[in-house]
Amino acid sequence: QVQLVESGGGLVQAGGSLRLSCAASGRTVSGYTVGWFRQAPGKEREFVATIRWSGGSTYYADFVKGRFTIFRDYAKSTVYLQMNSLKPEDTAVYYCATADPSKAWPPGKYEYDYWGQGTQVTVSS
């Protein structure tokens, strides 16, 4: 079983940046498709970005294109979400999740098998 650990959340002013990290405890995220999702209070969990480990293909939600970048570090077996030009509406708990690379691309939300506990991102206006 893969246990995912997110880190890097915090409080930032609008226009600022944060970098979130996603690593696995006990195993590695290498080889998986890794996605980032977020959930704001009272809202459903929504897709943000995903990356296929092999080949590095990426896919983004429209509302983060040009602001967020997902990338992987082979040496650290870690996936990052670089978030720039943050807006108050980006405030949410951010989760990373893994999907088997054999799934269709990009995987749907329910095709992700393992999820982290989340990290809070708060953007003040």
Side-chain angles (χ1 to χ4, degrees), residues 38-46 89 91:
R38 69 186 188 184
Q39 187 167 18
K43 296 188 176 181
E44 291 190 0
R45 191 170 299 187
E46 63 180 354
E89 52 263 44
T91 295

Side-chain angles (χ1 to χ4, degrees), residues 5 7 21 33 35 37 41-42 44 51 53 61 63-64 67 72 77 82 91 94 108 112 115 120 122:
V5 179
S7 61
S21 302
T33 291
F37 294 79
E44 291 190 0
I51 185 167
W53 191 270
F63 56 79
V64 301
R67 299 190 299 126
R72 68 208 190 291
S77 295
Q82 177 67 41
T91 295
Y94 284 71
Y112 287 84
W115 294 78
Q120 176 71 45
T122 303

Side-chain angles (χ1 to χ4, degrees), residues 65-122:
K65 286 181 180 178
R67 299 190 299 126
F68 292 9
T69 302
I70 187 171
F71 60 99
R72 68 208 190 291
D73 184 318
Y74 276 99
K76 296 182 178 180
S77 295
T78 300
V79 171
Y80 299 92
L81 183 68
Q82 177 67 41
M83 306 187 295
N84 298 328
S85 301
L86 283 162
K87 305 174 182 180
E89 52 263 44
D90 294 318
T91 295
V93 177
Y94 284 71
Y95 300 87
C96 69
T98 60
D100 192 281
S102 65
K103 303 287 187 180
W105 175 259
K109 180 169 65 174
Y110 299 104
E111 294 181 292
Y112 287 84
D113 303 307
Y114 299 102
W115 294 78
Q117 293 300 305
T119 185
Q120 176 71 45
V121 171
T122 303

